[in-house]
Amino acid sequence: MRRPNEIAKDEASMATLAELTSVFEGIASMRISQTKTQVLESTKFFDELWKIYTQLRVDSLFSFGRDEGQNNRVVIDKELFIIITAEGGFSGDIDQKTVEAMLLQYDAEKNDIIVIGHHGAMQLSQRGISFRKYYKLPSNDRNINVEPIIKEVQQYRRSTVFYQEYVSLMDQEPKHISLSMAVKSVGSGNERLDEVISEQNYIFEPTSFAVAAHLERSMMKIAMSQLILQSKLAQYASRFRAMSASHQRADEETADLHMLYNRAKRGVKDERLKEIINGMKKSKKAAV
Amino acid sequence: MSDEPHTEQHNSTSTPNKGEQVEGKATVLVKVYAPSHVYFEGEAYSISAVNQTGNFDILPQHHNFITLLVPCDVIVRAPTHEEKIRIQNGIMHVKADKIIVFLDV
């Protein structure tokens, strides 16, 4: 049987673990609330910009903002896969699910991969899948710089983003979307073409064409930022879920250890009592 | 150095109600914001910024206008104060005395 002081040490360690998981749970919960607000603000911003864009030109002409002096650029005839994962391995199983979802569609001949987040890069390396580039997942939720990714996107015929969607606190799903579709879907429902913006009724500087191309690039950047934000939200929720489960297990384990400690302490007391009684019996016999 | 727009305020004494003409001067409705932050929202006498052509001011009754802004200080002259917002890039949309400046795009 283990000694009570050994069990007490284990109980104290387990209680520290329970406190630690509780702190991580709290941090994840706070980050979820902040990121949710950020996603809402960003969507509102996009909606207003989208309204101007749809009045300026129809979305079927969406060309990834390549127009401005880039007509002669050779476009890579492949589909670019962009996968958004967590930076560390502390985000539950959602990264693994996203990587698996991407690999179901991956063909080395037809696809190039760009990874955002170190955890995804590690998972692909472990599976022996090579990727074109790796970017760190932005630690900041504001002013995400997606310029380098957009430059890569503009080189390809098509681009698909594999990301993580926050369904609820306890439910996150891997998803994928074509980037041009992402721009359209974020802007859907805001397509009130009540007024056409043209050179007939507007002054453009420098030119209407430059403004339209700039708007396309801007919306692509915002859509990409939103997908990153959504993935971060799902990762925080997944982390929250993992930490909640760990917290619960640590609490249960602490309770079990406490019971074990009480039993061991009782055992020691019983043992001592037995020794005293035996001692008393022996001394009584000796006296007789 | 951060790319985030930087703001400065210079206060004046008068405090008019929103939407009213102040000392007989017409105003425009201005909103300067980025996806993560609203830098200014309210009535203003005028707004100044810089595009590829150079410095320009927008006053009430301005024609519909869309322009790409270059790194500059956007100056909003509000009835209560003057606000200077340092920007890296942006898009300005002017329509019917309503000015929206989209930053970080």
Side-chain angles (χ1 to χ4, degrees):
Chain A
M1 196 177 187
R2 288 176 70 196
R3 297 164 75 117
N5 56 355
E6 284 174 3
I7 300 170
K9 268 186 196 167
D10 284 356
E11 192 189 334
S13 313
M14 198 49 73
T16 309
L17 194 67
E19 276 174 27
L20 208 61
T21 47
S22 168
V23 169
F24 281 128
E25 202 182 347
I27 292 171
S29 164
M30 192 182 71
R31 301 289 283 173
I32 288 167
S33 141
Q34 285 172 344
T35 313
K36 257 179 152 178
T37 312
Q38 185 57 37
V39 169
L40 286 175
E41 282 175 10
S42 180
T43 307
K44 206 173 148 192
F45 183 88
F46 187 95
D47 286 350
E48 281 204 64
L49 210 56
W50 175 260
K51 209 169 121 190
I52 295 172
Y53 172 73
T54 46
Q55 287 173 345
L56 195 64
R57 54 191 288 189
V58 288
D59 56 14
S60 57
L61 292 177
F62 191 84
S63 55
F64 297 92
R66 287 192 197 108
D67 310 51
E68 201 181 37
Q70 297 176 11
N71 290 328
N72 296 327
R73 177 188 275 189
V74 178
V75 175
I76 301 169
D77 198 13
K78 273 183 164 187
E79 186 171 4
L80 178 67
F81 281 177
I82 301 167
I83 180 164
I84 307 170
T85 62
E87 199 47 39
F90 229 26
S91 58
D93 58 353
I94 187 76
D95 283 347
Q96 200 178 335
K97 283 183 187 169
T98 314
V99 168
E100 280 163 8
M102 185 190 73
L103 292 180
L104 283 176
Q105 296 189 25
Y106 176 68
D107 180 343
E109 297 292 312
K110 295 177 185 166
N111 306 117
D112 280 343
I113 300 174
I114 285 181
V115 190
I116 302 173
H118 186 249
H119 197 214
M122 290 269 288
Q123 296 225 346
L124 286 176
S125 298
Q126 282 165 5
R127 287 171 163 86
I129 308 283
S130 60
F131 44 87
R132 192 180 146 102
K133 271 186 183 166
Y134 151 69
Y135 294 98
K136 277 185 82 163
L137 184 77
S139 55
N140 202 339
D141 293 341
R142 289 166 190 268
N143 303 314
I144 296 174
N145 180 17
V146 290
E147 196 79 51
I149 299 165
I150 298 303
K151 275 187 185 154
E152 293 288 337
V153 166
Q154 287 178 316
Q155 293 177 35
Y156 283 83
R157 184 76 60 201
R158 289 179 305 279
S159 300
T160 297
V161 184
F162 291 80
Y163 66 105
Q164 297 152 4
E165 192 178 64
Y166 172 91
V167 181
S168 72
L169 206 54
M170 288 299 166
D171 194 11
Q172 300 83 44
E173 281 177 8
K175 293 261 176 181
H176 67 274
I177 191 165
S178 149
L179 196 53
S180 64
M181 278 306 293
V183 174
K184 287 176 201 170
S185 77
V186 177
S188 63
N190 301 293
E191 292 164 356
R192 283 182 58 231
L193 290 165
D194 48 359
E195 190 195 312
V196 173
I197 296 176
S198 70
E199 286 173 353
Q200 309 282 317
N201 56 357
Y202 267 79
I203 301 167
F204 291 93
E205 276 190 22
T207 62
S208 57
F209 204 67
V211 169
H214 188 90
L215 273 172
E216 278 187 0
R217 281 194 298 277
S218 299
M219 283 182 306
M220 210 157 47
K221 279 195 253 175
I222 299 168
M224 190 70 217
S225 304
Q226 279 187 310
L227 290 177
I228 291 175
L229 272 178
Q230 271 197 35
S231 295
K232 286 183 89 171
L233 186 60
Q235 284 156 18
Y236 290 138
S238 181
R239 187 182 301 174
F240 175 84
R241 206 174 45 163
M243 287 301 128
S244 290
S246 304
H247 186 197
Q248 200 181 338
R249 276 200 298 273
D251 275 346
E252 284 167 8
E253 192 68 22
T254 309
D256 288 348
L257 281 167
H258 193 68
M259 200 181 281
L260 208 64
Y261 169 77
N262 284 339
R263 272 191 204 145
K265 217 174 160 186
R266 181 77 179 266
V268 170
K269 277 181 187 168
D270 288 351
E271 197 65 34
R272 280 193 188 150
L273 206 62
K274 233 186 262 175
E275 281 169 11
I276 292 166
I277 292 166
N278 285 341
M280 281 171 74
K281 275 181 186 171
K282 274 181 189 172
S283 50
K284 208 175 175 182
K285 273 182 190 171
V288 172
Chain B
M1 197 180 128
S2 166
D3 279 350
E4 273 190 52
H6 167 80
T7 58
E8 276 176 35
Q9 277 191 9
H10 303 281
N11 292 323
S12 69
T13 50
S14 57
T15 51
N17 292 325
K18 201 173 174 184
E20 281 184 0
Q21 284 202 346
V22 184
E23 292 164 8
K25 278 171 123 179
T27 57
V28 284
L29 197 62
V30 176
K31 186 173 182 182
V32 182
Y33 77 132
S36 56
H37 188 70
V38 177
Y39 292 92
F40 181 90
E41 188 169 16
E43 300 279 327
Y45 294 135
S46 68
I47 180 167
S48 304
V50 183
N51 62 13
Q52 276 183 18
T53 317
N55 297 321
F56 65 91
D57 299 315
I58 305 288
L59 298 164
Q61 307 283 314
H62 195 283
H63 194 274
N64 295 345
F65 179 52
I66 296 181
T67 187
L68 305 179
L69 303 177
V70 296
C72 66
D73 285 342
V74 171
I75 300 165
V76 184
R77 290 175 198 87
T80 53
H81 67 282
E82 187 178 293
E83 188 136 349
K84 196 187 275 186
I85 306 157
R86 192 157 298 156
I87 65 156
Q88 288 304 308
N89 54 44
I91 298 170
M92 184 186 283
H93 178 237
V94 183
K95 187 192 169 191
D97 281 348
K98 194 179 171 192
I99 303 168
I100 304 176
V101 181
F102 300 95
L103 299 181
D104 300 333
V105 291

